[in-house]
Amino acid sequence: MTQYFDLGQDATTASWELRSLPHQGPLVPSGYPVNDVKTQVLIKQRIAHLWKVPPKRKTTPMPDAVSLQRHHFQHLKTQPYALLEKSDGVRYLLLLTRMSDGEPKSFMVNRKQECWEVSVVALEIHFDGTLLDGELVYDSNQQVLHYLIFDLVASPKFPNISSQPLLPTRSEALNKLIFHVTEHCDDTELEYQVIQGFIFSACTAPMVHFRLKQFFPLHQATFVLNQTRGHRSDGLIFMPSNEPVATGRYLTCFKWKCDHTIDFFLNLRHDTLTLNVLDGKKMHDIIRFGLQFQNHVFYGRMDQAPNQILDSLWQQHEQSGKIVHYVVECHCDVDFLLKTITCFILKVRPDKEFPNTKSTVVKTLESIKENVIKDDLAVFAMTRGSSAAFFP
């Protein structure tokens, strides 16, 4: 039986459409946030069960890539890897499950484990536990949201898929699950795709289009970087093709960014600004206390250039008289001679509850110092060669 969940079109949906536009607020997949605590707990438990991790963890089990450094090139030359473009979007999991009464539901969940109900068309079997990993991006050309799916964590059609390699097994399974609805698809075509076992977003407005991210061999790094896209892209992901689904800090998955950024916990209190990283379970202010890096203490400071985001946060603080705190993504200009980290806020990250850890920041500073640039990637791509294996 086909399950079609039309959440309707009302004022809530209309306001979501505005909030989803760039610079208008966070990217969210629908106008239907899950506020019921029991439902939130059930969703977290289902995700933990499908990912095979402890149910009481505070964050989602999404794997996080580490910054690419020069010594990683040797590993990339000798091990099978797939290349993906790094989308500048918001990470979400897509869960198809059943409620306590057996009713099939679908949800998207961000890093903070905030949940939204979304409209999905699929056969009932998929609601016995399907979990996908991807990024939500805004396509400025088509003026729609795309959910770019790059991994399959669990599926009743593919038992124990998380233990299988990305290529070819998990990738082939994704190609058998996800259908991209276009304007040329009529009802007959959609009904056929459902019968074939595909999953796609319901045709409600505004709509999130489900799409698969494309995997490339490493020698095509320059081609991937130069691709034109409707959404923002800020680098590359080097993903192991012969490893199972990971969780937490993924030490063999590498990210290269055109512009290195660091996520800080910004706190405005009593007209004082602090810029914090996570040190164990405590916040550590790099403006006041600095950060130990290669036997020196580097002190943080805010860039003095005009910044509309920071001005808006100060205004919020002054008008409310309350503490203002957010995770903010910052471009960091590091002066290795003066031992300073000058930070410029690029965007607020409402999808994140915690800033980068101190160890992650140190690794990012190492990457900034190494300064791996596009030319380095081009040289690596040529030496990797077109015959380099995707697979083990």
Side-chain angles (χ1 to χ4, degrees):
M1 177 182 175
T2 300
Q3 295 296 329
Y4 181 86
F5 302 101
D6 187 348
L7 297 178
Q9 304 173 36
D10 56 15
T12 306
T13 305
S15 64
W16 161 67
E17 186 172 24
L18 291 175
R19 291 201 309 274
S20 298
L21 296 178
H23 312 302
Q24 296 295 321
L27 285 179
V28 295
S30 80
Y32 298 85
V34 177
N35 297 317
D36 178 67
V37 175
K38 289 184 178 179
T39 304
Q40 292 174 353
V41 170
L42 184 144
I43 292 170
K44 294 174 185 177
Q45 289 175 341
R46 294 288 166 79
I47 290 174
H49 172 73
L50 292 173
W51 214 303
K52 302 173 184 177
V53 297
K56 294 185 178 181
R57 61 182 296 147
K58 294 183 178 179
T59 58
T60 58
M62 301 171 183
D64 291 315
V66 299
S67 295
L68 179 70
Q69 297 181 4
R70 293 185 187 277
H71 70 269
H72 293 141
F73 282 133
Q74 185 58 39
H75 186 75
L76 290 171
K77 288 180 180 179
T78 59
Q79 299 299 317
Y81 269 81
L83 186 68
L84 304 84
E85 63 98 2
K86 186 181 181 303
S87 308
D88 188 13
V90 179
R91 188 85 168 268
Y92 278 94
L93 300 176
L94 173 61
L95 171 69
L96 277 64
T97 189
R98 294 184 184 276
M99 307 308 290
S100 301
D101 60 1
E103 181 184 5
K105 292 274 189 179
S106 49
F107 304 95
M108 290 181 71
V109 185
N110 67 13
R111 291 179 184 273
K112 289 173 68 176
Q113 301 194 82
E114 296 171 328
C115 313
W116 283 264
E117 187 173 354
V118 293
S119 300
V120 167
V121 180
L123 293 174
E124 282 208 26
I125 185 175
H126 294 300
F127 294 89
D128 291 334
T130 299
L131 186 60
L132 300 143
D133 195 356
E135 283 186 301
L136 190 65
V137 299
Y138 177 75
D139 189 311
S140 57
N141 292 339
Q142 301 180 25
Q143 297 187 340
V144 296
L145 290 172
H146 288 304
Y147 180 54
L148 305 179
I149 300 165
F150 56 81
D151 210 351
L152 175 63
V153 180
S155 168
K157 289 191 67 176
F158 301 97
N160 301 313
I161 191 67
S162 64
S163 64
Q164 300 300 311
L166 174 68
L167 296 176
T169 313
R170 300 203 309 272
S171 175
E172 289 181 353
L174 282 172
N175 278 289
K176 294 175 182 177
L177 282 179
I178 304 302
F179 178 71
H180 176 213
V181 178
T182 70
E183 59 184 9
H184 304 294
C185 297
D186 57 21
D187 291 344
T188 302
E189 169 71 8
L190 296 180
E191 184 67 26
Y192 173 76
Q193 298 300 339
V194 172
I195 294 172
Q196 293 301 307
F198 283 97
I199 299 168
F200 50 89
S201 52
C203 298
T204 56
M207 180 179 175
V208 177
H209 293 259
F210 295 170
R211 302 185 67 175
L212 292 179
K213 267 197 173 183
Q214 187 173 355
F215 299 107
F216 297 89
L218 297 193
H219 72 271
Q220 292 188 353
T222 303
F223 167 77
V224 177
L225 280 173
N226 293 332
Q227 276 187 316
T228 301
R229 304 177 183 87
H231 63 271
R232 292 173 59 183
S233 179
D234 61 354
L236 298 172
I237 296 290
F238 299 82
M239 199 167 175
S241 60
N242 64 341
E243 295 183 7
V245 172
T247 185
R249 196 156 181 257
Y250 196 177
L251 296 177
T252 53
C253 184
F254 310 116
K255 61 182 177 182
W256 176 85
K257 298 183 71 172
C258 308
D259 183 18
H260 288 286
T261 60
I262 297 175
D263 294 335
F264 294 103
F265 190 82
L266 177 76
N267 193 307
L268 302 179
R269 180 177 183 178
H270 304 314
D271 299 324
T272 300
L273 182 151
T274 62
L275 208 56
N276 304 276
V277 298
L278 195 61
D279 185 10
K281 295 183 179 181
K282 298 180 179 179
M283 294 294 178
H284 177 86
D285 179 19
I286 69 165
I287 294 178
R288 183 178 177 185
F289 302 108
L291 181 73
Q292 189 78 21
F293 177 67
Q294 295 185 347
N295 300 318
H296 297 281
V297 178
F298 283 65
Y299 286 90
R301 62 185 185 185
M302 295 306 297
D303 197 311
Q304 296 304 303
N307 189 302
Q308 292 182 351
I309 297 175
L310 183 57
D311 291 344
S312 177
L313 295 177
W314 272 120
Q315 186 178 14
Q316 181 182 341
H317 172 59
E318 292 166 356
Q319 290 179 351
S320 67
K322 297 180 180 179
I323 299 172
V324 172
H325 48 78
Y326 292 99
V327 174
V328 293
E329 184 175 339
C330 296
H331 165 78
C332 295
D333 184 7
V334 183
D335 191 317
F336 292 98
L337 181 62
L338 298 178
K339 310 296 186 293
T340 58
I341 306 171
T342 303
C343 304
F344 184 88
I345 299 176
L346 298 176
K347 57 185 174 182
V348 176
R349 295 299 305 264
D351 59 306
K352 289 191 174 184
E353 187 173 3
F354 301 104
N356 288 148
T357 63
K358 184 185 288 189
S359 61
T360 297
V361 175
V362 168
K363 289 291 184 183
T364 303
L365 294 181
E366 290 175 356
S367 297
I368 293 173
K369 189 173 183 179
E370 287 197 348
N371 192 30
V372 177
I373 60 175
K374 284 186 179 181
D375 289 347
D376 297 316
L377 294 175
V379 171
F380 166 74
M382 288 188 292
T383 58
R384 176 72 177 177
S386 59
S387 62
F390 243 160
F391 312 110

